[in-house]
Amino acid sequence: MRRPDGGERAARERLVRVARGLEDGDLLVRGVQVIQPATGEVFGADVLVAEGRVAALVGTGSGARAARVVEARGAFLAPGFMDAHVHIESSLLTPARFAEAVLPRGTTAVVAEPHEVANVLGAPGLAWMLEAGRSSGLRVFASVPSCVPASEFECGGATLGAEEVAGALRLPGVLGLAEMMNYPGVLGGDSGVWDVLEAGRGGRVDGHAAGVSGRDLMAYAAAGIHSDHEATTPEEARERLRAGLWLMVREGSAARNLEALLPVLRSGPRRAMLVSDDVSVDELLELGHLDRLMRACVAGGLHPADAVALVTCNPAEYWGLRDLGLVAPGYHADFVLLRDLVGFEVLETFVSGVEARAGGVTPPLPGGGVTLGPGWDAATFDIPAHWPVMEIRPDQITTGMGELGTGDARLVVADRYGRGEHSTCWTSGSGLTGGALAVSVLHDAHHVAILGGTDADVRAAGRALEELGGGVVVVAGGEVRASLPLPFAGLMSDLPPREAAARLSEVTAAARALGCRLPYPVTTLSFLGLSVIPALKLTPRGLLDVTQWRLLPREEELSRGLPLLPGGRRLHGNAED
């Protein structure tokens, strides 16, 4: 075990003595097949641990001794899995409860991108995420949100400028600058965006370049961006690798890109990794976390050691975590015992040489509820007749732009911070035919989003979220049919994962009863307001054409003689070039 006084030199000196056989270790894992992703090998060994680190890998039957022995009986031993880009908030769980869901799946470390809680509460939200992570049983690192708000078309509960970002980058456990989503600002020389980039200069800077290609992609990389997780086709993935970007292959609840990008991974790119980005609690419990992604990789033709590298040594190298990612002398003894290298069934997870257990009390997180204001009870939700229809895509966070008259369910997005703004548009693709599904999780500003429903149902759903302090609800006939409270910033629950998943399943079933056919309706709905993902997104300020980077005009603005966009749409008066 790690010395309580934290004496690094004394611990290292003892580690050396244990490695040389001059002193017994703390743990001996005997008879394992070690997966060495750095070389692609799988070999038999005994693993000796002391001071929370690997001391030595010795031949079976070497006579190595330790205070405690675990008989592996031929099980496979891999480095602990690392998710290099994940929004813990999207699981709808606090960090401690998220750890309960993923530690049994072999995940021992994550790099959280807490721009959800930061959009609601600002820098204190980031600090809370790190504090909550420290007691979770999981290694929770963080990157500093670079886009709070995500764009000039959004207004959440907080703003992080260059000064706040620079301060946050100095916090223990912070590894770099998070995904730079405002690529139009990067390419267009927006001074505020570039001030944030300069604050993060010298460290890792994650990218987020949905649909960007050609010279624009080269320019984006030239700005100092190091990675991207928005590739959806092999061509996009290869273009990013050729531009020197690390490829993060995303497979989450709302965006599933792994199957499409397997041909690229089979070619063995040196700078690639697997990430979940956004994954909900029900999917974590039903399908798994990074273990699920490795199963898919091996089924798709990758060697198991290459699949393991995508969630161990590669992300550790990317983030500069020099003591993680391998089972090797001097590295943290974070490893996973696996039954096989096909199903990646986890037998046991170890962190610092001890069987991993989630724990700790979630610290309080004041603020972040839902305030719709007194005008909500009389609000109506008409749709401008000239606005196009937002086409919802079940397994992507992008949307399409449909023709007028093709919508089947309304979408209402209302400011949850008491400013009284709301907008409404038509959508297609959800299948919702009655009632309303409502959430207070709306990337990234996290307003209230309500899909479907009469005016009365929409108003009732909004008030229900307000009473819960944030959450997820299904309303029909003015009555709540199912709900999941999310009292932590209106984003997270501290319920045990299975209880939270059961409540979420009730919400999904209630939505299905109203005709919804989306595989993960809550997660999909939560992305319909993200203003940096094409093609249409709805904010409280109006319907945004992301491809043109402009809000569409409302009815009252049509008479102002604003110039037209391609297809006959007019520019918003506040968003001209």
Side-chain angles (χ1 to χ4, degrees), residues 18 24 56 126 159 212 225 247 273-274 276 285 322 377 395 416 442 471-472 485 528 534 569:
V18 172
D24 291 353
L126 167 64
T159 299
V212 180
I225 308 298
L247 177 67
M273 60 196 96
L274 301 173
S276 67
L285 295 180
R322 296 177 181 85
D377 291 327
D395 292 328
R416 74 177 249 201
L442 186 67
V472 182
L528 299 185
R569 301 188 305 280

Side-chain angles (χ1 to χ4, degrees), residues 139-192:
R139 294 190 193 273
V140 177
F141 303 98
S143 52
V144 177
S146 63
C147 299
V148 179
S151 76
E152 63 264 36
F153 302 108
E154 294 185 17
C155 186
T159 299
L160 291 184
E163 184 176 347
E164 291 84 1
V165 167
L169 284 166
R170 293 191 289 268
L171 292 173
V174 168
L175 304 181
L177 192 64
E179 50 188 322
M180 175 48 73
M181 298 181 291
N182 192 347
Y183 61 83
V186 174
L187 301 179
D190 181 280
S191 61

Side-chain angles (χ1 to χ4, degrees), residues 376-403:
W376 183 255
D377 291 327
T380 56
F381 308 98
D382 296 330
I383 302 171
H386 60 287
W387 278 5
V389 172
M390 181 191 296
E391 294 177 338
I392 298 173
R393 295 169 176 169
D395 292 328
Q396 299 297 336
I397 60 175
T398 57
T399 64
M401 187 179 298
E403 298 296 326

Side-chain angles (χ1 to χ4, degrees), residues 4 46 55 81 84 98 100 124 148 215 317 351 361 385 407 418 481 495 529 561:
D46 294 347
F81 309 149
F98 179 80
E100 285 184 38
V148 179
R215 296 290 289 271
E317 179 184 346
V351 174
V361 177
R481 301 295 177 87
L495 292 172

Side-chain angles (χ1 to χ4, degrees), residues 398-464:
T398 57
T399 64
M401 187 179 298
E403 298 296 326
L404 298 180
T406 59
D408 54 23
R410 289 190 305 177
L411 173 65
V412 176
V413 171
D415 183 287
R416 74 177 249 201
Y417 303 102
R419 292 178 287 246
E421 293 182 304
H422 70 265
S423 296
T424 312
C425 74
W426 285 112
T427 69
S428 66
S430 72
L432 200 68
T433 56
L437 169 65
V439 300
S440 60
V441 181
L442 186 67
H443 302 278
D444 281 327
H446 296 294
H447 294 294
V448 164
I450 305 171
L451 185 65
T454 63
D455 283 1
D457 279 342
V458 170
R459 289 192 292 265
R463 286 298 184 214

Side-chain angles (χ1 to χ4, degrees), residues 35-280:
I35 304 164
Q36 173 51 281
T39 63
E41 295 177 281
V42 179
F43 56 89
D46 294 347
V47 177
L48 190 59
V49 174
E51 301 293 328
R53 295 178 182 265
V54 176
L57 280 68
V58 298
T60 55
S62 67
R65 295 165 54 89
R68 180 165 175 257
V69 177
V70 171
E71 298 290 354
R73 296 182 174 85
F76 295 89
L77 188 142
F81 309 149
M82 180 185 303
D83 196 335
H85 178 74
V86 61
H87 304 281
I88 289 177
E89 306 98 312
S90 292
S91 71
L92 308 181
L93 300 172
T94 59
R97 297 303 191 180
F98 179 80
E100 285 184 38
V102 302
L103 279 168
R105 297 289 192 163
T107 300
T108 58
V110 299
V111 181
E113 210 285 63
H115 70 210
E116 320 307 341
V117 69
N119 266 275
V120 177
L121 295 171
L126 167 64
W128 176 87
M129 181 63 72
L130 287 166
E131 181 188 359
R134 279 190 287 271
S135 62
S136 69
L138 188 68
R139 294 190 193 273
V140 177
F141 303 98
S143 52
V144 177
S146 63
C147 299
V148 179
S151 76
E152 63 264 36
F153 302 108
E154 294 185 17
C155 186
T159 299
L160 291 184
E163 184 176 347
E164 291 84 1
V165 167
L169 284 166
R170 293 191 289 268
L171 292 173
V174 168
L175 304 181
L177 192 64
E179 50 188 322
M180 175 48 73
M181 298 181 291
N182 192 347
Y183 61 83
V186 174
L187 301 179
D190 181 280
S191 61
V193 170
W194 275 85
D195 286 346
V196 169
L197 280 177
E198 287 305 305
R201 192 74 65 199
R204 278 296 186 203
V205 180
D206 268 353
H208 183 290
V212 180
S213 63
R215 296 290 289 271
D216 281 350
L217 182 66
M218 297 294 173
Y220 184 69
I225 308 298
H226 298 130
S227 68
D228 186 55
H229 59 270
E230 292 293 330
T232 61
T233 68
E235 293 74 24
E236 287 182 337
R238 292 188 183 99
E239 188 179 20
R240 280 146 178 76
L241 289 166
R242 290 167 183 160
L245 297 172
W246 282 74
L247 177 67
M248 293 182 174
V249 177
R250 173 180 55 193
E251 184 76 2
S253 297
R256 302 181 184 278
N257 307 130
L258 176 55
E259 183 178 0
L261 302 186
L262 275 172
V264 178
L265 294 179
R266 282 196 295 267
S267 70
R270 170 68 183 77
R271 294 153 64 92
M273 60 196 96
L274 301 173
V275 302
S276 67
D277 199 3
D278 300 277
V279 59
S280 65

Side-chain angles (χ1 to χ4, degrees), residues 382 384-387 413 421-424 538-543 551-560 562 570-573:
D382 296 330
H386 60 287
W387 278 5
V413 171
E421 293 182 304
H422 70 265
S423 296
T424 312
L538 190 65
T539 79
R541 296 176 173 178
L543 184 61
L551 289 167
L552 303 184
R554 298 176 185 268
E555 299 283 4
E556 61 271 18
E557 296 170 314
L558 289 176
S559 60
R560 291 166 52 189
L562 299 176
R570 297 180 186 271
L571 301 184
H572 191 285

